Amino acid sequence: MTAPLLQVDDLHVRFPISGGGLLGRGRRMLHAVNGISFSLAKGECLSIVGESGCGKSTTALSILGLQEPTEGMIRYRGLPLAGPGAPGRMQRAKAVQMVFQDPYASLNPRQSVRSSLAAPLRLHGFTAGSEIDGRIEVMLKNVGLTPEHANRYPHEFSGGQRQRIGIARALILEPEIVVLDEPVSALDVSIRAQIINLLLDLQEKLGLSYLMISHDLSVVEHMSDRVLVMYFGQIVEEGGWREIFEAPAHPYTRRLIAAIPDPEKALNTAELQDCVSDVPQFAGRSFISDGSTAPDVFTAPAPSELVEIGASHKVRLASA
Amino acid sequence: MRLGFNFWLGTGLTALVIFAGVLAPWIAPFDPVLDADLMSSELPPDATFWFGTDAQGRDVYTRILFGAQISLTVGIVSQVINSIIGVTLGMTAGYWGGWWDDLVNGLTNVMLAIPSLIFALAVMAVLGPGLPSLLVALGLTNWSWTCRIARSSTLSLKSQGYVQAAQTLGYGDLRIMFTQILPNMMGPILVMATLGMGSAVLSEAALSFLGLGIQPPFPSWGSMLTDARQLIQLAPWVAIFPGLAIFLSVLGFNLLGDGLRDSLDPHMRTRKP
Amino acid sequence: MTAPLLDIRSLHLGVALGRSAHHPLLKGVSFQIMPGEAYGLVGESGSGKSVTSLAVMGLLKRPLAVSSGEILFKGQNLLTLPKREMRRLRGNRIAMIFQEPMTALNPLSTVGRQIAEMFVLHQDKSWNEAQKLAIDALASVRVPNPDRRAKNYPHQMSGGLRQRVMIAMALACNPDLLIADEPTTALDVTVQAEVLRLIKELCAERGTAVLFISHDLGVIASICQRVGVMYAGCLVEENETRALFDTPRHDYTKGLLGALPRLGSRSQHGRQRLVDIDSIIADRSKLTETRFIAPRGIEGSQP
């Protein structure tokens, strides 16, 4: 077996909360991410789902180098991507890129499409104007735009087109991993399908690996190969999309799936929410939390471990 | 986009000051310094001396035209210095944060606590009177508001997706500041600079009035007022016209600044439905 | 047959641009809401759904203005009602909840006081009495520890709790109509599910009619009996919820439904390409030429 493209080991991120005593004594730490480990294979789409504050965005920012991890290791093809010995922004840029949620805030209003795509190429050593133009043209075609769009400014585009430009910018340096941060949740419903289709086409065509951050479980089911469910800084369940959606084990996963406002389900079941009853038991061990009450984010979580309950299907249980 | 009456009035007055200052050597009927004639001192306005003459018999109209050069130079140069200092400190403080941010914040607060005119007086006392030291004094004392605005704009722009995208694309910090952040906060900075020009003109007048600015016999609106002090009863026009020039130019800069702020503020823009 | 509670007749509304120019936002929208009925308006940004709700509330601000049409509430045309009468209706007979409760709540006043104000304003209660009613109102929207929570300021609450406070305020005077404009869009999914259930149950209990506005078909389906689909200022299709989802007739509705990834469809049918709405609709500008408005009570059964 080859080494995974991306390997995250026991990632912790803690933020100091201001308002402590003198000299920082009694300063409280916010535990945003508490020991996340996972790997991403070439060509795979791995989704991290969870609600706001669960640490999914912090995890993504750590991988992108925008947030320094407190502890833990992030490796890209076996080489460290964060912490000591990590490469600079330049090398990291060719490994990981990001597609942002809000297509209106993610493009510089004062840069034309051409200049936001050409500047990174120039920065990474492309000097020939014809080659830069050629790459921009190919990339715009890849994302479903035309070369004529290059001379326009962001405000001349619709939300869907802006998101295509954002995707083009993320792919222009040909990274292997693309972090998708809620890539369609800010878009109109009819545009979402186009962007989802485009992302899946590009993944196949360019052999991309996606790490998708989302709270929209129907999109996650549609696009992912594997799914991580995060709850207050920890992975509570992990598995292939089939396991997660057909046989969810953790009460929180069940709660999330039950909460999706899906037309079919809404019309066929009387109750809005399926009860989180008949949760299976695993070797007589209990769940740390069922996701109904929020744990204290200022203390480290109680000891627990991810237990394998099926082929590549793990769920977090209290330590035996 | 519709711009209000005030904006156009401000533009008009500012244009008038620039026009007067730039064209002074050609349109002024006399020489501001050399054409002194004690025989024709303190004459009221007439067809030859439009704004009358002062104690030395110099044409007030001519001196006001040349005074505009001084006021413009002071306004523009001091604001360029202020903006460079304020933007550099504010943008780096907002972007990097940490101890540098604390330091810049502390410095800004100290600057805001000292009345800028008093500080300028102190600088002038060290450097001695004259135009160059006036420019330095006014340039060093009024950057705190620009700095604050630059810092807060940077803080809000820093969280925009395109700044994060630039980081992931491998841009260095300075490149991000100059290509992604600075162009997007030029609006408010420009407004601050325009408004600051008004107060710089006033400060120049005040310092010259106190005898620390432009030295006689060269004409500055403030020093003209100083000279007119004793004559205010006998020859009020010697005081009225420089006073009016200061008033109109400061009004012009301020209205222009307000107008620019309104037009550059995206919330004020009429949105297409 | 009972008379409709809200009857919007051929409403035209637009942005005034200068003296004679006029940019239309609603091009003749008509629909009716029966007493106690939950009616959903679904559409994308710019379709005119939010502006419709503002028109009903009489909250249109210049340059927005109604150019023609009628909004009948209990037979009374709201568009010709004097401002004072309209103010008396608002909050009392017609209430509204918004997407972002933080902007609709006063940050400087406790939530208990803000709810109590509704009783003082519309029901002439004394402050003491109103405070007690406010705590009851908080309890009715299932806020835990209502007497303690009543003393909280809006910023001390989570988004879900704030939305509950908004609902408590809106329902304080037992209005006949509740307008909900994307009330759960800013919330997490599990919180959204709770808030939706709350709106559904409370309004059913009290017989309050609901005009529910959303871009999310799933949310609309879970709460409304009938749905109107809006596109570019027109109501292009209207039907009972079940019938609309089972047999959409308008191309745009078909496009919208096909564009959504459906939960569970991948396990049943494998990953299928989502419908690109632009591939089934050749010309978007022609979309508003056809309309499918199902007559009431003929298609489908009660969901």
Side-chain angles (χ1 to χ4, degrees), chain B residues 192-216:
Chain B
M192 279 308 291
T194 316
L195 291 172
M197 279 171 71
S199 67
V201 167
L202 276 180
S203 304
E204 179 270 324
L207 288 170
S208 297
F209 185 81
L210 295 172
L212 281 167
I214 307 302
Q215 294 302 296

Side-chain angles (χ1 to χ4, degrees), chain B residues 156-208:
Chain B
S156 69
L157 290 171
K158 200 168 73 163
S159 60
Q160 296 280 313
Y162 57 84
V163 174
Q164 292 195 326
Q167 289 173 325
T168 63
L169 286 166
Y171 284 48
D173 287 349
L174 287 178
R175 188 186 293 267
I176 289 174
M177 282 188 236
F178 280 100
T179 63
Q180 311 290 318
I181 294 179
L182 188 58
N184 284 296
M185 66 179 191
M186 277 314 282
I189 300 298
L190 201 66
V191 171
M192 279 308 291
T194 316
L195 291 172
M197 279 171 71
S199 67
V201 167
L202 276 180
S203 304
E204 179 270 324
L207 288 170
S208 297

Side-chain angles (χ1 to χ4, degrees), chain C residues 107-209:
Chain C
L108 296 177
S109 171
T110 63
V111 297
R113 198 187 154 80
Q114 292 182 57
I115 301 171
E117 218 165 357
M118 301 299 295
F119 294 108
V120 175
L121 201 64
H122 293 296
Q123 298 186 343
D124 296 323
K125 305 276 190 215
S126 71
W127 268 107
N128 268 335
E129 212 176 339
Q131 302 272 12
K132 285 191 197 87
L133 287 170
I135 292 172
D136 294 344
L138 280 179
S140 73
V141 291
R142 295 174 210 149
V143 170
N145 301 321
D147 41 349
R148 204 161 47 85
R149 281 295 184 181
K151 297 192 188 84
N152 278 12
Y153 288 89
H155 73 268
Q156 295 170 309
M157 302 182 130
S158 66
L161 271 180
R162 281 201 288 265
Q163 200 54 281
R164 280 163 197 261
V165 169
M166 279 301 298
I167 296 170
M169 264 175 88
L171 296 181
C173 301
N174 273 322
D176 301 304
L177 177 64
L178 174 72
I179 300 176
D181 188 357
E182 305 262 11
T184 58
T185 307
L187 303 175
D188 272 330
V189 270
T190 53
V191 181
Q192 162 170 287
E194 288 162 19
V195 169
L196 286 178
R197 181 152 67 163
L198 189 71
I199 295 176
K200 191 179 185 181
E201 288 177 5
L202 285 180
C203 290
E205 232 169 70
R206 301 170 184 216
T208 311

Side-chain angles (χ1 to χ4, degrees), chain A residues 87-274:
Chain A
R89 277 183 199 167
M90 294 284 279
Q91 286 96 313
R92 197 204 309 269
K94 289 185 172 162
V96 196
Q97 281 300 326
M98 177 162 176
V99 173
F100 293 84
Q101 172 176 8
D102 183 356
Y104 290 89
S106 62
L107 299 176
N108 188 340
R110 301 192 188 259
Q111 275 188 326
S112 69
V113 172
R114 181 186 305 284
S115 76
S116 35
L117 294 179
L121 285 175
R122 255 185 230 116
L123 191 67
H124 287 266
F126 295 90
T127 45
S130 56
E131 189 181 2
I132 291 177
D133 284 349
R135 278 177 180 255
I136 291 175
E137 196 170 311
V138 170
M139 190 47 71
L140 286 177
K141 278 184 188 151
N142 271 344
V143 298
L145 295 170
T146 62
E148 292 83 68
H149 284 120
N151 293 325
R152 299 204 196 149
Y153 283 82
H155 70 266
E156 300 174 64
F157 294 98
S158 67
Q161 286 173 317
R162 280 166 179 247
Q163 199 60 319
R164 289 174 192 268
I165 298 167
I167 294 169
R169 181 183 57 194
L171 298 181
I172 193 83
L173 294 177
E174 300 174 348
E176 284 190 279
I177 303 168
V178 181
V179 173
L180 307 171
D181 181 12
E182 307 271 10
V184 298
S185 62
L187 302 175
D188 267 328
V189 179
S190 64
I191 307 299
R192 282 185 195 181
Q194 298 172 356
I195 298 296
I196 292 173
N197 289 342
L198 174 68
L199 286 171
L200 290 171
D201 291 347
L202 287 171
Q203 185 186 22
E204 201 179 297
K205 189 171 166 188
L206 306 173
L208 298 168
S209 302
Y210 287 150
L211 180 67
M212 182 161 77
I213 309 294
S214 184
H215 68 271
D216 188 335
L217 277 94
S218 20
V219 173
V220 168
E221 186 193 37
H222 185 78
M223 289 185 66
S224 326
D225 299 305
R226 283 193 306 128
V227 181
L228 304 177
V229 182
M230 270 185 85
Y231 183 67
F232 280 93
Q234 289 186 309
I235 295 174
V236 293
E237 189 163 357
E238 129 172 39
W241 67 270
R242 252 178 211 286
E243 284 79 36
I244 296 291
F245 285 95
E246 288 175 4
H250 198 279
Y252 180 67
T253 313
R254 293 174 164 234
R255 197 180 286 273
L256 271 184
I257 294 173
I260 305 169
D262 183 74
E264 279 307 309
K265 199 174 59 183
L267 293 168
N268 292 329
T269 49
E271 268 302 291
L272 254 179
Q273 215 180 358
D274 285 327

